[in-house]
């Protein structure tokens, strides 16, 4: 459980670093809101130690925030935020699933790709 939770926190932190470095241009406010969403998620994920339902709820909340932000954005930023929202929305931890670790790796790759798109769109 701790490995999954810590891995999610690492993915979120990577996204946050990419956003922090990239926020500029005409849609700075949306980029800043996305950065705040990831900061809040990181805190919630850390606070959900041992609470799978809480972690899944925090992940769902982040997905909803990113989807809402995509509605405020245009062009590449809109596409990147929508992709991230879809990635985070599709991830639910189920410890009874023997493929959970594999799914985490796939999720990490999707989130990293979406974060790179977002960083590019925000620059």
């Amino acid at each position: 459980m701790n490995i999954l939770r810590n891995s999610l926190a690492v993915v979120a932190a990577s996204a946050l670093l990419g956003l922090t470095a990239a926020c500029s241009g005409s849609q700075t406010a949306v980029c800043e809101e996305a950065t705040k969403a990831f900061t809040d998620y990181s805190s919630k994920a850390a606070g959900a130690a041992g609470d799978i339902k809480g972690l899944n709820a925090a992940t769902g909340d982040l997905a909803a925030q990113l989807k809402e932000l995509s509605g405020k954005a245009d062009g590449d930023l809109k596409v990147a935020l929508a992709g991230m929202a879809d990635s985070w929305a599709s991830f639910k931890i189920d410890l009874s699933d023997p493929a959970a670790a594999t799914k985490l790796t796939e999720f990490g790759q999707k989130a990293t790709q979406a974060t790179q798109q977002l960083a590019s769109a925000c620059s």
Side-chain angles (χ1 to χ4, degrees), residues 37-110:
F38 275 103
T39 301
D40 293 347
Y41 174 78
S42 294
S43 296
K44 288 178 185 177
D51 179 11
I52 298 295
K53 288 182 182 179
L55 188 58
N56 284 338
T59 302
D61 289 347
L62 176 61
Q65 289 175 335
L66 294 172
K67 184 170 182 77
E68 180 182 327
L69 288 172
S70 74
K72 296 179 182 180
D74 296 316
D76 291 343
L77 180 55
K78 182 179 191 79
V79 171
L81 287 167
M84 291 184 86
D86 290 345
S87 289
W88 287 91
S90 70
F91 190 74
K92 300 281 186 263
I93 295 175
D94 179 2
L95 293 179
S96 66
D97 182 359
T102 301
K103 289 180 181 178
L104 179 63
T105 300
E106 291 171 8
F107 171 74
Q109 290 170 346
K110 287 181 184 178

